[in-house]
Short mmCIF file of all heavy atoms in Angstrom, two decimals:
data_model
loop_
_atom_site.label_atom_id
_atom_site.label_comp_id
_atom_site.label_asym_id
_atom_site.label_seq_id
_atom_site.Cartn_x
_atom_site.Cartn_y
_atom_site.Cartn_z
N PHE A 220 -1.79 75.10 -39.40
CA PHE A 220 -2.77 76.17 -39.62
C PHE A 220 -2.15 77.48 -39.19
O PHE A 220 -1.77 77.66 -38.03
CB PHE A 220 -4.04 75.87 -38.80
CG PHE A 220 -5.14 76.90 -38.98
CD1 PHE A 220 -5.25 77.66 -40.13
CD2 PHE A 220 -6.07 77.10 -37.97
CE1 PHE A 220 -6.26 78.61 -40.28
CE2 PHE A 220 -7.11 78.03 -38.11
CZ PHE A 220 -7.17 78.78 -39.27
N LEU A 221 -2.03 78.41 -40.13
CA LEU A 221 -1.47 79.74 -39.87
C LEU A 221 -2.59 80.76 -39.94
O LEU A 221 -3.31 80.83 -40.94
CB LEU A 221 -0.40 80.08 -40.91
CG LEU A 221 0.78 79.11 -41.03
CD1 LEU A 221 1.63 79.47 -42.24
CD2 LEU A 221 1.62 79.12 -39.76
N VAL A 222 -2.76 81.56 -38.90
CA VAL A 222 -3.81 82.57 -38.89
C VAL A 222 -3.21 83.90 -38.49
O VAL A 222 -2.41 84.00 -37.55
CB VAL A 222 -4.96 82.17 -37.94
CG1 VAL A 222 -4.49 82.03 -36.51
CG2 VAL A 222 -6.11 83.17 -38.02
N GLY A 223 -3.54 84.94 -39.25
CA GLY A 223 -2.99 86.26 -38.98
C GLY A 223 -3.50 87.27 -39.97
O GLY A 223 -4.17 86.93 -40.96
N PRO A 224 -3.19 88.52 -39.77
CA PRO A 224 -3.70 89.59 -40.64
C PRO A 224 -3.02 89.55 -42.00
O PRO A 224 -1.99 88.93 -42.18
CB PRO A 224 -3.32 90.86 -39.87
CG PRO A 224 -2.12 90.48 -39.07
CD PRO A 224 -2.35 89.05 -38.67
N PRO A 225 -3.60 90.26 -42.98
CA PRO A 225 -2.98 90.30 -44.31
C PRO A 225 -1.57 90.89 -44.23
O PRO A 225 -1.31 91.84 -43.49
CB PRO A 225 -3.92 91.23 -45.10
CG PRO A 225 -5.22 91.18 -44.36
CD PRO A 225 -4.88 90.99 -42.92
N GLY A 226 -0.65 90.31 -45.01
CA GLY A 226 0.71 90.83 -45.07
C GLY A 226 1.63 90.37 -43.97
O GLY A 226 2.77 90.82 -43.90
N SER A 227 1.17 89.48 -43.11
CA SER A 227 2.01 89.03 -42.00
C SER A 227 2.99 87.94 -42.40
O SER A 227 3.90 87.59 -41.64
CB SER A 227 1.14 88.55 -40.83
OG SER A 227 0.27 87.50 -41.25
N GLY A 228 2.81 87.34 -43.59
CA GLY A 228 3.78 86.35 -44.08
C GLY A 228 3.28 84.93 -44.12
O GLY A 228 4.07 84.00 -44.28
N LYS A 229 1.98 84.71 -44.02
CA LYS A 229 1.44 83.35 -44.00
C LYS A 229 1.74 82.61 -45.31
O LYS A 229 2.22 81.47 -45.30
CB LYS A 229 -0.09 83.39 -43.76
CG LYS A 229 -0.51 84.11 -42.50
CD LYS A 229 -1.99 84.02 -42.27
CE LYS A 229 -2.82 84.72 -43.35
NZ LYS A 229 -2.58 86.19 -43.39
N THR A 230 1.42 83.24 -46.43
CA THR A 230 1.64 82.61 -47.73
C THR A 230 3.12 82.40 -48.00
O THR A 230 3.53 81.36 -48.53
CB THR A 230 1.02 83.46 -48.85
OG1 THR A 230 -0.38 83.65 -48.58
CG2 THR A 230 1.18 82.79 -50.20
N THR A 231 3.94 83.38 -47.61
CA THR A 231 5.39 83.25 -47.81
C THR A 231 5.94 82.07 -47.03
O THR A 231 6.75 81.28 -47.54
CB THR A 231 6.09 84.55 -47.36
OG1 THR A 231 5.57 85.65 -48.09
CG2 THR A 231 7.59 84.46 -47.60
N LEU A 232 5.49 81.90 -45.81
CA LEU A 232 5.94 80.76 -44.99
C LEU A 232 5.50 79.43 -45.59
O LEU A 232 6.30 78.50 -45.71
CB LEU A 232 5.38 80.90 -43.57
CG LEU A 232 6.07 81.91 -42.66
CD1 LEU A 232 5.18 82.26 -41.48
CD2 LEU A 232 7.40 81.35 -42.16
N ALA A 233 4.23 79.35 -45.97
CA ALA A 233 3.70 78.09 -46.52
C ALA A 233 4.43 77.69 -47.79
O ALA A 233 4.73 76.51 -48.00
CB ALA A 233 2.21 78.23 -46.78
N SER A 234 4.74 78.65 -48.65
CA SER A 234 5.40 78.33 -49.92
C SER A 234 6.84 77.88 -49.71
O SER A 234 7.44 77.29 -50.61
CB SER A 234 5.36 79.54 -50.85
OG SER A 234 6.11 80.62 -50.31
N ARG A 235 7.42 78.15 -48.52
CA ARG A 235 8.80 77.71 -48.23
C ARG A 235 8.84 76.30 -47.66
O ARG A 235 9.93 75.72 -47.56
CB ARG A 235 9.45 78.66 -47.23
CG ARG A 235 10.25 79.80 -47.83
CD ARG A 235 9.43 80.70 -48.65
NE ARG A 235 10.19 81.83 -49.21
CZ ARG A 235 9.68 82.64 -50.12
NH1 ARG A 235 8.44 82.45 -50.58
NH2 ARG A 235 10.39 83.62 -50.61
N LEU A 236 7.70 75.73 -47.28
CA LEU A 236 7.70 74.39 -46.68
C LEU A 236 8.27 73.32 -47.60
O LEU A 236 9.09 72.50 -47.14
CB LEU A 236 6.28 74.04 -46.23
CG LEU A 236 6.09 72.64 -45.61
CD1 LEU A 236 7.02 72.44 -44.42
CD2 LEU A 236 4.64 72.44 -45.18
N PRO A 237 7.91 73.25 -48.89
CA PRO A 237 8.49 72.18 -49.73
C PRO A 237 10.01 72.24 -49.79
O PRO A 237 10.67 71.20 -49.95
CB PRO A 237 7.87 72.46 -51.11
CG PRO A 237 6.62 73.21 -50.83
CD PRO A 237 6.92 74.06 -49.63
#
Side-chain angles (χ1 to χ4, degrees):
F220 181 26
L221 303 171
V222 61
S227 57
K229 304 184 295 297
T230 303
T231 302
L232 284 162
S234 65
R235 267 62 179 170
L236 178 56

